Amino acid sequence: MGSLESPISLKRAGSRNERNPFLSRTRSRFSRFLLFNKLDYIQWICTVVVFLFFVVFFQMFLPGSVMDKSPDSLDDKDLVFRELGYLKEMGGLDFGEDITLEPCKLLQKFQSQNKQLNLESSSALNRSQHRFQYRKPQLALVFADLLVDPQQLLMVTIANALREIGYEIQVYSIEDGPAYNVWQNIGVPVTVLKFNPSGIGVDWLNYDGILVSSLEAKSVFSSFMQEPFKSLPLIWTIHERALAVRSRQYTSAGQIELVNDWKNVFNRATVVVFPNYALPMIYSTFDTGNYYVIPGSPADAWKGENAMYLYKDNQRASMGYGPNEVLIAIIGSQFMYRGLWLEHALILQALLPLFADFSSDNDSISHPKIIVLSSDSASNYSMAVEKIALNLRYPSGVVKHVAVHGDVDGVLSMTDLVIYGSFLEEPSFPEILIKAMSHGKPIIAPDLSNIRKYVDNRVNGYLFPKENISVLTQIILQMISKGKLSPLALNIASIGRATVKNMMVQETIEGYAMLLENVLKFPSEVAPPKAVIELPSKLKEEWQWNLFVNLQNSTLEDKSSKFLNNLEEQWNHSQRKKFGSPVAMNDSFSYEIWEEEKKMHIFYTKRRREEQELKDRTDQSRGTWEDVYRNAKRADHARNDLHERDERELERTGQPLCIYEPYFGEGTWPFLHRSSLYRGIGLSTKGRRPRMDDVDGPSRLELLRNSYYRDILGEYGAFFAIANRIDHLHRNAWIGFQSWRATARKASLSEVAETSLLGAIEKRKYGDALYFWVRMDKDPRNSLQQDFWSFCDAINAGNCKFAFSETLKKMYGIRTELNSLPPMPEDGGTWSVMQSWALPTKSFLEFVMFSRMFVDALDAQMYDEHHQSGHCYLSFSKVTCLFALIFSFKQGINKVRCYY
C-alpha cells in the first residue's frame, strides 16, 4: 500500500551517476523541486544547443525516423537509450531515474513509540494492564462547511468504513450546508459550531482523535491550540494548493507574521495528510516534519462527472483550434527534471507517421494538432519545443507548448487523446493521468509499475515499453484513422473513465485506518477497533457516490482562494490597527507618507520621554484633596477586574455556598459560570480569565507550579489549594466543586437545582449532608452499569483495586499479606463521578486531610517509575497517570443526596 511509506523528502540517489556531482546533488527535504538555478540554466541551454546540433547534422541522438522501415532503425530497441546515455554521462541531462522519494519514517516513528510504550507499560511496577471494552473509540470530524464537494465525498466514504471497524463519529462544521442531510442519512450526528467571545463550546476531550478537513477550517485551530486540548491527536487533511502559492507572495511581501501564524497551525497538527506527492513539496514553507501522504481522492473523478458544467464548447476556439481537429496532448510527470524535454522529443518523434501523408503540404488545417503540456512557463522552453518540432520536420503550427499552472482540466477537456510522456517511476499513479481518464480521454502511457497496477493494456488504456518507443507509433496509428479516433479508442476511453471513478479507494481507506491505528492512544475502557483487513470489500471498492446522486451536479467554487482573501483582509486590518495611524489607512497609502508619519511618531515619542524625565526630577504639587479623590476614583474605575471582583465578593458574602470550578487553559472558558454562586480556580498562572475574580491556584499551592504534579493531581490540586489557608479565601459555611466537563456534558446544576440546593442548605433539611449531581450510572463510559470496583478498574487499566489496596496498606501500616479492601455497598443506588458535589466546609477539610495522606502514599508508591519513564500501571497513556476515583460518594447512603 503506497500510503504506508509516505514521501517526506526528495533525494538524488547516487546510482550510476554517483561520479557526476551535478546529477548526484541532494535536494533538501520537501524543497520546491526547482528545475534550474543560474548555473543549471546555462548548462541546460548548452545541452539543447548540442542536442539540436546533433539532430540537424548527424541524426545520431534521436532514434531513426519511424518512417524509415529499415531493420536497423526498428529492431534495435536499445539504440535510443544507449545514445542518450552518452549525453547523460556528459552531465547534461537526466531522466529522473535517480530521483527517489525518501520517507521521513513518520509511520515508523509512531509504530516505534507504541512498541516502546507497550514494553514500558507492561513492566511498570511489574503490574500487567488490561483493557475493558466498555465503549467505542470516538472520532470528531471537523469541516469548514457542509457544502457538497469532493472532500465531503472522501470523508463520508472514510467515515463509513471507520464506523464499520468500530469507531463512533461525530461531525462538526463551522457552517451548514446540503451535506448535513448526507451525514444524517448514514447515522452520523452533525453539530454546527457556534462561536462566542469565550471560544467554541465543545469538550474535545470526549474524543480520542480529531480529523480536520481543508484549509478553511483554520479558525477551529484556535481551540485545539489551547489547553487542555493541545495534546489531542489531530490529523489535518489538506487538498488545496492555494496557500502554497500565497506563501511565496507573503514571504516576498514581508508578511512574516502571517507566514508564522500558518506555521503554528501546521505545527499543531499531529499529522498533515496530503492526497498526492506533489502537495507536500509545494507546502515546504510550513513543513515541521509531520507531513504524510495517503494517495487517492475523488476530486478529479468529480470534476470529470461535472465537466459539462465546468467547461464549455468554446474552449477550443479560445485557443485557436477547430471543432473537428484531432488534438493530442503530451503530458509529463509532476516532478521536473532536466531530461523531461528530451522525453517530449522522443514522443514527438514517435508521432511523426501520423503526418506522413501531409509531408509535402504546408497547410496545417487538416492535420492533427499536438499540445505539449508542462509546468515550465519559461519562454525558452516553448522555443525549444518549437525548434525540436521544426527539426523533426513537423508542419508549421502543428506542435504547440502550453504552460499550465492551475486549470489543467480545462486544457485536457478539449483534447481527444492524451499521451503520458514521462519515464519516471512515481510513487503512485500519476494524478494528471487520473484527470485525463476522468474526462473520458483515451490514454497512452509507458509500462511503469504504478501505471500498470491500474491500467490494463488495450482494456482501459494503452501501454508501451519505455525501452521500445516504436511501439508507441504502432499504437497511435491504430487509435487515429482518417482524421478521427477509432471506435476501439473511444471504447477504451469509456472503460477508462469508469475505472478512474473509483480508483485507489482501497488505498485511501486502508491508509487512514492504518494511520489512526498508529497515532491514537486509547484509554483502558475503550474497545480497540478491528483490523482494516476485516473491513467488507464492498466498502473499499468505490466512493459513496450513491449518497450524493441528487447533489453532485454543482459547480466547484474556489472556496480556498475566497477564504484566504478574507483572511488576508483581516490580517491587514489588524496590522493597520496595531500601528495605530491617526488616519484611516488603506492599501493605497503611499510609502512616502508612511515614512514621514513614522519619523514624526519617533520624534514625538522621544520628546515625551524627555519631558517625563524632566518632570520626574522636579517637585510636583500634590493638589487639593478633591484632585486626589478624583484621581483615585478614576484609577479605581479603570481597573475593571478589581471593580467586578468587589461586586462578586459582596454578593457571595450573604450566600451559604460557593462552588469552585477548577480549570486549566483557555479552552475551558466557555464552560465556566459567571454568576456569584460560582468561582473559577485556575490550576496554572497562564490561561486565567480576564476581569474575573478567579483564584490563582499556584499562588496558594506551590506544588501546582510543577507541571508534573499539576497534571497528575488534576482537580485534587484545586482541593488542596482551596484548603490551604482556607480562612483567607473561603468564609462560606458550605463549599462545593463542579467540573467544567460536567457543564460541557450538560450535567451541571440547572437553575432549578441551584435554587433547590441553596434552599436545602439554608433550611438544614438533611443536616451535615453531601449533595452531588453527576451520577456514575449516567456516565457514557459505564454503559454496562458496572459496580464501583469494576468501573474503577475499567478506567484505570484494571489496577484500581490493587492501587487502593497498596495505598491503604502504606497509610495504615497493614501487613503486606492482607488483601482486604473497604466494602462498597450495592443497594441499588449510584455513585458520584466528575467531582461535582457540595458539603459543609468543615467536612471538606476533613476530607482533604484524608486525601492528602492517600495521595502522598500513592505518589510514594509510583513516583520513581512514573517520573522517570512517564508510565504507571493505572493508565496506558505515557503523559499522565490519572487516578479518577480517589474520592467517591454513594447515593442512598445516609446524608448523601443527589441533585440533577
Side-chain angles (χ1 to χ4, degrees):
M1 183 170 60
S3 61
L4 300 186
E5 291 285 339
S6 64
I8 304 305
S9 65
L10 277 182
K11 187 175 181 181
R12 290 279 182 177
S15 57
R16 57 188 177 186
N17 295 321
E18 186 70 28
R19 60 181 178 274
N20 190 335
F22 184 77
L23 291 179
S24 61
R25 183 177 60 217
T26 300
R27 261 47 169 185
S28 61
R29 184 169 58 87
F30 271 127
S31 61
R32 238 177 358 132
F33 201 28
L34 298 176
L35 181 60
F36 304 111
N37 58 27
K38 198 168 185 178
L39 181 61
D40 295 336
Y41 182 75
I42 296 173
Q43 189 164 2
W44 180 82
I45 291 296
C46 293
T47 304
V48 172
V49 173
V50 171
F51 171 74
L52 293 177
F53 175 81
F54 287 153
V55 169
V56 175
F57 295 99
F58 299 100
Q59 301 278 320
M60 289 177 61
F61 298 105
L62 284 174
S65 173
V66 186
M67 297 170 62
D68 183 1
K69 303 300 181 182
S70 65
D72 293 337
S73 63
L74 292 178
D75 296 335
D76 190 359
K77 299 179 181 180
D78 296 327
L79 175 63
V80 176
F81 282 88
R82 185 175 68 247
E83 293 173 339
L84 294 177
Y86 177 68
L87 279 179
K88 295 176 68 175
E89 294 297 327
M90 291 171 55
L93 70 145
D94 66 80
F95 295 100
E97 295 167 337
D98 56 348
I99 296 175
T100 60
L101 292 165
E102 184 178 273
C104 76
K105 311 295 183 184
L106 187 64
L107 189 66
Q108 289 82 347
K109 180 180 107 174
F110 290 126
Q111 291 172 340
S112 176
Q113 290 175 351
N114 292 339
K115 184 178 180 181
Q116 184 68 18
L117 177 64
N118 293 335
L119 289 175
E120 294 178 357
S121 297
S122 61
S123 64
L125 293 179
N126 298 318
R127 289 293 303 176
S128 61
Q129 295 176 310
H130 306 280
R131 287 199 175 274
F132 299 79
Q133 301 184 9
Y134 286 179
R135 70 170 178 89
K136 295 181 178 181
Q138 305 288 316
L139 292 179
L141 269 61
V142 182
F143 297 96
D145 55 57
L146 293 174
L147 297 178
V148 176
D149 57 26
Q151 196 66 9
Q152 288 287 336
L153 174 58
L154 171 71
M155 299 312 294
V156 165
T157 305
I158 294 171
N160 246 353
L162 293 178
R163 293 174 69 214
E164 186 68 25
I165 60 176
Y167 288 94
E168 284 285 345
I169 294 176
Q170 165 80 47
V171 168
Y172 291 93
S173 179
I174 300 174
E175 297 179 5
D176 202 350
Y180 184 99
N181 295 328
V182 175
W183 288 104
Q184 286 202 325
N185 289 339
I186 63 173
V188 174
V190 181
T191 301
V192 178
L193 295 172
K194 295 181 180 179
F195 290 80
N196 55 67
S198 58
I200 302 174
V202 177
D203 180 8
W204 301 111
L205 295 182
N206 288 329
Y207 303 98
D208 301 296
I210 313 292
L211 274 70
V212 182
S213 176
S214 82
L215 290 172
E216 296 93 272
K218 175 181 181 291
S219 57
V220 187
F221 274 82
S222 60
S223 178
F224 299 136
M225 296 171 72
Q226 298 168 349
E227 294 289 1
F229 310 128
K230 290 177 68 173
S231 59
L232 272 175
L234 190 152
I235 298 173
W236 189 16
T237 301
I238 296 178
H239 54 92
E240 306 94 339
R241 294 174 176 261
L243 178 61
V245 177
R246 299 284 183 98
S247 65
R248 294 190 287 272
Q249 300 174 7
Y250 298 156
T251 304
S252 60
Q255 296 175 317
I256 304 302
E257 292 183 13
L258 191 54
V259 174
N260 291 337
D261 180 56
W262 276 107
K263 282 184 178 179
N264 292 334
V265 176
F266 274 80
N267 188 49
R268 168 57 187 93
T270 310
V271 181
V272 179
V273 177
F274 297 98
N276 60 58
Y277 290 86
L279 283 176
M281 300 177 193
I282 63 177
Y283 273 99
S284 61
T285 303
F286 310 110
D287 180 21
T288 59
N290 57 351
Y291 284 8
Y292 190 74
V293 173
I294 300 179
S297 169
D300 293 312
W302 183 287
K303 286 185 179 180
E305 292 293 314
N306 291 276
M308 64 180 67
Y309 301 98
L310 294 172
Y311 307 108
K312 306 301 180 182
D313 294 336
N314 59 1
Q315 186 82 9
R316 282 187 171 216
S318 64
M319 296 190 67
Y321 296 109
N324 297 321
E325 292 179 324
V326 175
L327 293 184
I328 303 173
I330 300 176
I331 58 178
S333 172
Q334 58 187 337
F335 310 111
M336 298 197 67
Y337 45 92
R338 288 180 298 277
L340 185 62
W341 62 272
L342 193 49
E343 291 172 342
H344 287 160
L346 294 174
I347 301 299
L348 288 173
Q349 175 72 13
L351 298 182
L352 267 179
L354 277 176
F355 303 87
D357 297 336
F358 305 96
S359 57
S360 60
D361 189 0
N362 293 326
D363 187 4
S364 61
I365 295 178
S366 58
H367 291 119
K369 299 297 175 62
I370 299 174
I371 301 175
V372 180
L373 293 179
S374 76
S375 58
D376 188 355
S377 59
S379 59
N380 289 327
Y381 192 75
S382 296
M383 294 172 57
V385 170
E386 293 175 4
K387 190 65 175 178
I388 291 173
L390 179 63
N391 283 281
L392 290 173
R393 296 184 178 86
Y394 269 92
S396 176
V398 167
V399 180
K400 181 179 180 181
H401 170 249
V402 176
V404 287
H405 297 285
D407 191 20
V408 180
D409 296 273
V411 179
L412 291 176
S413 66
M414 69 179 186
T415 61
D416 298 293
L417 171 67
V418 176
I419 301 174
Y420 187 71
S422 173
F423 303 145
L424 173 64
E425 282 278 8
E426 295 192 17
S428 65
F429 192 83
E431 184 181 1
I432 196 167
L433 270 183
I434 297 177
K435 293 178 182 292
M437 295 172 72
S438 67
H439 284 287
K441 311 301 177 183
I443 64 163
I444 308 174
D447 190 11
L448 304 176
S449 60
N450 278 318
I451 296 178
R452 186 171 59 249
K453 183 178 179 181
Y454 301 97
V455 176
D456 191 0
N457 190 27
R458 297 181 178 274
V459 177
N460 56 359
Y462 285 93
L463 300 177
F464 66 91
K466 68 176 183 178
E467 296 84 3
N468 189 1
I469 204 75
S470 61
V471 175
L472 173 59
T473 305
Q474 301 169 15
I475 294 173
I476 201 71
L477 291 175
Q478 294 175 10
M479 295 183 69
I480 299 179
S481 177
K482 297 180 180 180
K484 60 181 181 180
L485 291 179
S486 66
L488 177 61
L490 295 174
N491 183 59
I492 286 176
S494 176
I495 297 174
R497 184 173 187 177
T499 300
V500 80
K501 185 174 181 179
N502 294 299
M503 184 177 287
M504 292 194 285
V505 178
Q506 180 174 345
E507 289 85 343
T508 303
I509 292 175
E510 291 180 351
Y512 275 94
M514 184 68 70
L515 182 61
L516 288 170
E517 179 182 329
N518 287 278
V519 171
L520 303 186
K521 309 293 186 298
F522 300 119
S524 56
E525 73 271 14
V526 173
K530 295 184 291 186
V532 69
I533 194 173
E534 300 180 34
L535 186 68
S537 58
K538 63 179 182 179
L539 295 178
K540 299 188 289 185
E541 293 175 351
E542 59 183 22
W543 307 110
Q544 298 294 317
W545 296 100
N546 58 302
L547 298 175
F548 293 82
V549 64
N550 296 323
L551 304 170
Q552 189 181 335
N553 293 331
S554 57
T555 57
L556 295 176
E557 181 186 358
D558 189 5
K559 298 184 296 182
S560 55
S561 295
K562 182 179 179 181
F563 165 75
L564 290 175
N565 291 337
N566 294 335
L567 192 66
E568 291 166 13
E569 184 178 348
Q570 294 173 9
W571 187 84
N572 290 331
H573 177 74
S574 65
Q575 289 298 107
R576 291 194 293 266
K577 188 175 180 180
K578 179 180 178 182
F579 283 109
S581 174
V583 295
M585 294 190 301
N586 51 48
D587 294 335
S588 63
F589 199 40
S590 67
Y591 179 78
E592 291 79 12
I593 298 177
W594 168 245
E595 282 295 313
E596 181 180 354
E597 182 66 28
K598 186 176 179 182
K599 290 178 182 178
M600 293 294 293
H601 178 72
I602 294 174
F603 171 79
Y604 284 119
T605 301
K606 183 178 179 181
R607 183 175 177 178
R608 283 194 298 269
R609 185 171 62 250
E610 291 174 350
E611 290 176 351
Q612 186 64 36
E613 290 175 354
L614 290 174
K615 185 183 297 183
D616 292 339
R617 296 174 187 172
T618 60
D619 294 331
Q620 296 294 323
S621 169
R622 299 190 181 276
T624 64
W625 281 108
E626 288 77 11
D627 294 334
V628 174
Y629 178 80
R630 190 182 304 111
N631 292 335
K633 198 69 174 176
R634 186 183 301 114
D636 186 47
H637 281 287
R639 297 178 58 185
N640 292 328
D641 55 342
L642 181 60
H643 186 67
E644 294 182 13
R645 171 182 170 181
D646 291 342
E647 289 182 349
R648 291 190 180 92
E649 286 184 351
L650 288 173
E651 291 177 4
R652 291 194 191 97
T653 302
Q655 295 178 173
L657 170 67
C658 178
I659 299 176
Y660 294 92
E661 295 182 302
Y663 69 92
F664 173 50
E666 298 179 15
T668 62
W669 289 1
F671 310 106
L672 302 178
H673 291 78
R674 303 178 70 90
S675 67
S676 60
L677 178 61
Y678 299 88
R679 189 174 187 182
I681 171 170
L683 300 180
S684 173
T685 303
K686 298 179 180 179
R688 290 179 58 196
R689 293 184 293 175
R691 296 184 300 277
M692 295 296 293
D693 61 334
D694 294 345
V695 179
D696 183 15
S699 67
R700 299 189 56 81
L701 186 68
E702 286 293 324
L703 197 63
L704 293 179
R705 298 188 187 277
N706 185 324
S707 60
Y708 170 80
Y709 281 108
R710 181 194 64 212
D711 294 338
I712 196 174
L713 288 175
E715 292 168 333
Y716 276 82
F719 303 161
F720 299 154
I722 296 295
N724 186 27
R725 305 189 308 275
I726 191 171
D727 291 338
H728 296 173
L729 174 70
H730 180 82
R731 294 183 174 87
N732 304 80
W734 285 66
I735 188 171
F737 288 87
Q738 178 169 269
S739 171
W740 64 267
R741 299 198 66 191
T743 306
R745 193 186 292 179
K746 302 186 185 307
S748 58
L749 286 174
S750 64
E751 293 184 3
V752 175
E754 289 175 2
T755 303
S756 178
L757 176 60
L758 290 174
I761 290 175
E762 289 175 347
K763 296 176 181 178
R764 300 189 60 84
K765 186 174 182 180
Y766 300 102
D768 189 5
L770 181 142
Y771 302 89
F772 69 93
W773 46 90
V774 184
R775 303 165 39 155
M776 190 178 79
D777 60 343
K778 301 296 184 181
D779 194 299
R781 299 170 296 177
N782 190 26
S783 58
L784 299 180
Q785 299 299 305
Q786 298 292 318
D787 59 41
F788 174 85
W789 288 119
S790 299
F791 181 63
C792 188
D793 273 339
I795 64 176
N796 289 283
N799 290 310
C800 173
K801 287 185 284 188
F802 173 79
F804 258 112
S805 176
E806 293 299 311
T807 305
L808 291 176
K809 289 176 186 177
K810 188 174 183 64
M811 283 178 64
Y812 296 109
I814 302 175
R815 296 194 307 273
T816 55
E817 61 268 17
L818 296 179
N819 294 312
S820 61
L821 281 172
M824 296 296 177
E826 298 182 12
D827 55 1
T830 184
W831 294 92
S832 167
V833 293
M834 296 189 73
Q835 307 300 352
S836 299
W837 38 263
L839 76 170
T841 301
K842 61 179 182 179
S843 299
F844 168 72
L845 294 177
E846 294 173 1
F847 153 68
V848 169
M849 290 176 62
F850 172 83
S851 297
R852 288 181 63 179
M853 292 187 293
F854 191 99
V855 169
D856 182 66
L858 183 63
D859 182 50
Q861 180 188 160
M862 62 181 61
Y863 175 84
D864 291 334
E865 177 74 20
H866 186 212
H867 196 69
Q868 292 173 11
S869 67
H871 294 280
C872 75
Y873 56 77
L874 295 173
S875 173
F876 284 95
S877 172
K878 186 172 181 178
V879 181
T880 59
C881 183
L882 299 177
F883 193 67
L885 292 180
I886 296 177
F887 180 50
S888 300
F889 301 112
K890 187 76 164 54
Q891 179 191 17
I893 303 177
N894 187 30
K895 296 185 180 180
V896 177
R897 312 302 295 178
C898 178
Y899 278 79
Y900 53 93

